Amino acid sequence: MAGGSGSSGRTGVRVVVVGDKGTGKSSLIAAAASESVPEKVPPVHPPTRLPSDFYPDRVPVTIIDSSSSLESRGKLNEELKRADAVVLTYACNQPMTLSRLSSYWLPELRRLEVKVPIIVAGCKLDLRGEHHTTSLEEIMGPIMQQFREIETCVECSASTMIQVPDVFYYAQKAVLHPTTPLFDHDEQTLKPRCVRALKRIFTLCDHDMDGALSDAELNEFQVKCFNAPLQPAEIVGVQRVVQEKQPDGVSDLGLTLSGFLFLHALFIEKGRLETTWAVLRKFGYGDDLELKDDFLPVPTKHTPDQSVELTSEAVGFLRGVFGLYDIDNDGAVRPAELEDLFLTAPESPWGEAPYKDSAETTAMGNFTLNGFLSEWALMTLVDPRRSLANLIYIGYGGDPASTLRVTRRRLTDRKKQRTERNVFRCYVFGPKKAGKSALLNSFLGRPFSEIYTPTTRERYATNVVDQLGGTKKTLILQEIPEEGIQKLLSNNESLAACDVAVFVYDSSDDYSWKKTKELLIGFARQGEDSGYGVPCLLIAAKDDLDSKSLTVQDAARVTLELGIEAAIPISMKIRDPNDIFGRIVRAAEHPHLFIPETETGKNRKHYRHLVNSSLMFVSVGAAVTIVGLAAYRAYAARKNT
């Protein structure tokens, strides 16, 4: 199991050579470029390009020399920012330059945040005395333990051409086939992301799903990745190597997952990283061990008031996946089973914000089908690329382009007075302690809590809402903390992504209503100015407490003036949601209704109507005049005849 390196997608590698003065930097570059012993070397060698056919990977290498003088330090720092790899030199015959690696150069590269592979090159090997008996491993071992960014070390001589090309070969290789994403040197094991990627590849190649790669499956894998079949004797040899070191790596059915992982760990330990990278890249992975954009045909939104949803085909696939993991048919999937589902993804995508704790679960913390599908709907809305990638990670085998669709523009929906969307985004506004979080918790079926926990960042709650007639819509509530409202509304296109907005206030608190009124009117103005008017609902929360009569009257007046529905009284404490979530969805389904209009907006609308009417009158008058003139000319012509 060996072969080509696979394409990294890079068109070139830029290597910067640094080190103390007199360590042989310029001579090393000159010898590599000319492939001969340099006779005359400038103090700083000009930029040098090794052509694409210089090394097997057929990627050109640009080498940048550097001066060690203080005057050139600014230029060196700029070059280091552009570097793909760094060659750090010391002179084998000058021990002081070796000690300067750990006392100055390596800490300095860290200080400058140079996060690229480092190749340490011991130059002037021919000048080191014969009495020297310490091996390179003994010299560099402690330094490499301290500075893990060192990829490898090479001793060379420009005067005798010993290992000169190897220095830049290792630099190129460290960029094209990096070790860091794949292997943990401390633990001497494959890294978790690498294991997950290889497990997915193994699963895709295990066509009969018997947990092992048969000889035929192994051979098909070899041809796909390296375009070269394995002979029967070679397959036996591979299995023998695995069985000697990893007894459970081979079964009667073939090479197991354990054996497959062992082989790749062996390749990496032997320095054959290009083999593992060839496999990973053949199956679409980039250097970060995530699927590359080439394998993810995410549909493009052309306007900000469009969104991305899962297609019915993708939802059907996810329903099937849920059924496979719901082993006891109780309508729920345990968190551990969900982790198993994502074992072939780089990581579980729902372990952190905004997805964590945003969907419906049972009292035991298990995902319901509605919660499972809603979480996918949220991920598709917020990050379509991530959603598509995870569909592929968990085994979607159809055309990736058939999984996502771009919705019609919201402005078009309002003109047509109907929408074809299946997923609605609702902004939830309100001052502190108004009851926003209680609303979201109720939506997820969670009990009311007397403990107040302030929301410091945007929070999501998503669930399926059953409608009359048996239709189902996914509603995504997005709680906007009071501190984040100004930032959100500072963007003129912020309302374009919103289907409906609710404004929550504490009906027993005059100040809460005052703040909410300001928010609602400001929101209405933003919609009028930006052209992205949004249906709005007003929620009078904490209805179990004594409402302020003046607040009730003022709220009725404001909703009447703005032309929206009267405030909806609810109490989450006594579980009286007043069908609030169904009403939110119905408002989103009728995007032309409940859009608040300020007095300024009404006047502007009236003015436009007058202008349009005037233009219409002028147009009709002009048309009548033209027709009359034409008729008169026709009459005059007939009379003359």
Side-chain angles (χ1 to χ4, degrees), residues 1-6 220-229 264 267 274-279 282:
M1 291 177 66
S5 61
E220 185 179 336
F221 163 81
Q222 175 75 11
V223 171
K224 177 180 175 70
C225 295
F226 306 112
N227 200 30
H264 285 283
F267 292 144
E274 62 270 22
T275 300
T276 298
W277 275 116
V279 172
K282 194 67 179 180

Side-chain angles (χ1 to χ4, degrees), residues 205-224:
C205 296
D206 182 17
H207 301 303
D208 55 11
M209 294 183 290
D210 62 355
L213 298 183
S214 64
D215 291 0
E217 290 169 336
L218 190 61
N219 205 34
E220 185 179 336
F221 163 81
Q222 175 75 11
V223 171
K224 177 180 175 70

